[in-house]
Every structure is written in C-alpha cells, then in structure tokens.
Amino acid sequence: MSNILLTRIDNRLIHGQVGLTWINHIGANLILVADDEVAYDDIQQNLMDMAAPSTVDTRYFTIQETIDKIHKAADDQLIFLVTRTPENVLKMVEGGVPIKKVNISNMHFKEGKKQISSTVSIDEKDAEAFRKLHKLGVELEIRRVPDERKKDILEFI
C-alpha cells in the first residue's frame, strides 16, 4: 500500500513552499509530481529538482502512470503527491489512488474563473470535481502553508 502523506493542488508544482516548508511539516522523503505535461518535459523537471531538498527524491509521472504505479511504492517511501488540478486528483481517486486529504494551495485566476481565496480561483468544472471528491470521502482544505488556518473549500462552492 502506498504511503501518501498529503496530496496538494498547486499550479506551480514544486517550488519553495513545497520543497522546504511542506516537506519538513509532513516528513515526506519523496515528491511525486502527477502531471501529463511535466512527465515528458526534462527542462521543467530539472528546474523543479532544484527547488526540492537534496534529501528528498522526486518522480514525475503522468496521471495514468500514477494510477498504475502508486501501489508499487516501497513501504519506506513517504509520498507528497503534487498535481495542478482537482480534475487530476479526481481521475487518480477514481483510478484507485488512495488519496484521503487534499491541500489546495494555488489555482491561478484566468478568464471564466472566480477567485475564492487569495491564491485559489475556480470554475464550475473545478467545483464539480471538488464536490465529487467530497462525496468520495476526500478531505479538502485551502491552505498555502502549514501554520495558516485551514479553510474548507465546500464553504465556497
């Protein structure tokens, strides 16, 4: 059984908050980026590797690879799973990835999205994915850093 400590939605994937603050807070030794684009982009992977602590391993899988491989993780792999969208999380949960809690941090504003916190903007597609995740028993919190007060996303959708 995989040992996913936390799943995070963050458009930026691996950066300072992920690489330092959250890793130290949850005690992960592996950052798994589940993203169909980054899985095939060595340049983005190299840049993100620079933001990760040298004591932490990184892996870059497509959403389907994550579904297929997560159950093969070694018992000593303490996984911090990072992806860009709630739809990705929903695909993984529906595919059997044992995600129990999702930290929602950065979902950038763009045309057609409604800003619901200082760093999170959603559209109806995002809201529907969050509602489905909630029905599947996944805890959903908006929180940028560990010492910030959690907000339940369901209050906003």
Side-chain angles (χ1 to χ4, degrees), residues 64-131:
Q64 189 59 51
E65 280 179 297
T66 304
I67 292 166
D68 295 342
K69 294 179 179 180
I70 197 72
H71 297 290
K72 298 174 185 174
D75 291 340
D76 63 348
Q77 288 180 312
L78 305 175
I79 302 168
F80 186 12
L81 178 59
V82 183
T83 193
R84 289 185 206 260
T85 69
E87 294 82 15
N88 286 349
V89 176
L90 182 59
K91 286 178 195 172
M92 288 187 282
V93 170
E94 289 176 339
V97 177
I99 295 170
K100 303 294 179 218
K101 182 176 184 176
V102 176
N103 165 257
I104 305 147
S105 175
N106 286 289
M107 294 177 62
H108 299 313
F109 179 81
K110 64 181 180 182
E111 188 69 35
K113 292 205 176 215
K114 172 178 80 169
Q115 188 168 355
I116 61 171
S117 80
S118 61
T119 60
V120 177
S121 298
I122 65 170
D123 58 20
E124 186 50 41
K125 186 171 129 183
D126 298 325
E128 183 59 28
F130 284 129
R131 286 191 284 272

